[in-house]
Amino acid sequence: MTNRFFCFGLGYSAIALAERLQDEGWAIAGTCRGAEKQAELTARGWSVHRFDRGMDLPDGMLDGVTHLLSSVPPDEQGDPVVDEAGGVIRRAAGSMKWIGYLSTTGVYGDRDGGWVDETSDLTPTGARGERRKQAEAAWLELGRETGVPVQLFRLAGIYGPGRNALETVRRGRAQRIDKPGQVFSRIHRDDIAAIVRASMERPNPGAAYNCCDDNPAPPQEVIAYACTLLGVEPPPLVPFEEAELSPMARSFYRDNKRVSNRRIKEELGVSLAWPDYRPALEALL
């Protein structure tokens, strides 16, 4: 029987996974929001529907789906997929072996630079993190209702082809922001695909997996390394209080933590292709 993968929200990370599964002979389907993106993804031979809160979904859209992923973020009303497509998922659950939800490490909140793992309390600092926490709970409840194993993937800062510190420097948008002690964890797009793929082989109902590399690092250090690789002068260090940041960018600096990735290695047997940002940036260059 052909494995059938369906993803709500075929975006940057999910497309990398879908490409990998297509290479293995899986049937690929999913959703996106815009007509242009729909045409682009359909041209790959995928069955792609438009979806957003308030949109009707075609009957039978999930018939025969064996593996379901959502990368759609929650909005102020809750999780759009659970709210709008929960009934469709419940009706199609008989064929499903695995469900995954892409969340973020923001659910852990601020730890003042300390370590968190998947057993740590969820204490998000802002409304966005709180919505993620509630969305995780909604997906886990859906798993209990349907009997399909639901896994949570808590993603650190995502980078990869076309989205990385080299591109930020090239576009003249790089800042080196000095907030003493601040670190961020990050994860390469291809490693996200590898982690999620490994979980599909080992369903574990209710399990959460931190998706991050081995090297939580200060963001200004990453920009400086990108500048070194490109042979350009790094931008000057700017104190955090004086930095020109969007409200969303500034909110990321409220959380300072180091995220453990031990579980993906010990439970899923994942060996990261890019455990450190430095060789990854070299390869991206």
Side-chain angles (χ1 to χ4, degrees):
M1 189 182 80
T2 301
N3 281 316
R4 304 183 71 83
F5 174 67
F6 189 99
C7 178
F8 284 96
L10 281 165
Y12 183 69
S13 300
I15 286 172
L17 173 65
E19 289 172 342
R20 181 178 179 142
L21 296 174
Q22 185 177 37
D23 288 345
E24 294 179 31
W26 291 43
I28 307 298
T31 73
C32 63
R33 286 196 293 187
E36 192 176 324
K37 182 77 172 285
Q38 181 185 26
E40 174 198 323
L41 296 176
T42 301
R44 296 167 175 252
W46 301 353
S47 175
V48 181
H49 310 270
R50 291 179 66 192
F51 170 78
D52 208 344
R53 186 179 285 282
M55 282 187 177
D56 290 330
L57 295 165
D59 285 337
M61 183 176 76
L62 299 181
D63 286 357
V65 167
T66 55
H67 297 74
L68 178 80
L69 182 71
S70 176
S71 73
V72 176
D75 57 25
E76 291 179 2
Q77 295 166 259
D79 187 289
V81 178
V82 174
D83 292 349
E84 302 284 336
V88 180
I89 294 169
R90 289 178 185 92
R91 289 192 291 276
S95 63
M96 292 183 193
K97 304 173 184 175
W98 177 99
I99 292 175
Y101 174 63
L102 300 188
S103 184
T104 85
T105 56
V107 293
Y108 297 117
D110 180 35
R111 291 297 198 278
D112 200 24
W115 285 92
V116 293
D117 65 17
E118 291 87 348
T119 66
S120 299
D121 290 341
L122 305 185
T123 55
T125 48
R128 207 169 59 251
E130 184 60 39
R131 289 198 290 267
R132 282 287 188 185
K133 177 182 172 181
Q134 292 171 5
E136 286 191 0
W139 278 100
L140 292 175
E141 178 59 29
L142 188 62
R144 285 188 288 270
E145 287 176 27
T146 59
V148 183
V150 169
Q151 289 73 203
L152 309 173
F153 301 91
R154 294 175 179 152
L155 309 184
I158 303 166
Y159 74 102
R163 293 192 189 184
N164 55 71
L166 298 165
E167 298 295 331
T168 307
V169 172
R170 284 180 178 133
R171 292 177 187 145
R173 300 212 313 263
Q175 296 187 76
R176 282 201 308 145
I177 295 165
D178 184 27
K179 189 167 185 263
Q182 178 76 45
V183 294
F184 290 122
S185 293
R186 51 195 56 75
I187 183 75
H188 193 288
R189 181 189 72 169
D190 294 348
D191 281 325
I192 297 171
I195 294 163
V196 177
R197 181 68 186 92
S199 166
M200 290 173 167
E201 296 298 317
R202 300 172 181 81
N204 183 359
Y209 298 102
N210 291 336
C211 302
C212 58
D213 68 14
D214 297 346
N215 183 21
Q220 68 271 23
E221 178 187 289
V222 181
I223 291 295
Y225 193 70
C227 290
T228 299
L229 292 178
L230 291 168
V232 300
E233 276 294 309
L237 270 177
V238 178
F240 173 69
E241 293 73 18
E242 299 171 19
E244 292 182 15
L245 292 169
S246 69
M248 179 176 272
R250 192 167 287 277
S251 74
F252 287 125
Y253 279 83
R254 297 213 309 242
D255 289 356
N256 183 18
K257 58 185 169 286
R258 290 170 166 82
V259 182
S260 168
N261 62 13
R262 187 181 298 156
R263 179 176 282 180
I264 59 169
K265 299 173 182 177
E266 294 179 355
E267 189 175 306
L268 299 180
V270 169
S271 178
L272 294 172
W274 307 108
D276 186 292
Y277 72 85
R278 285 167 288 212
L281 289 181
E282 290 163 19
L284 287 165
L285 182 65

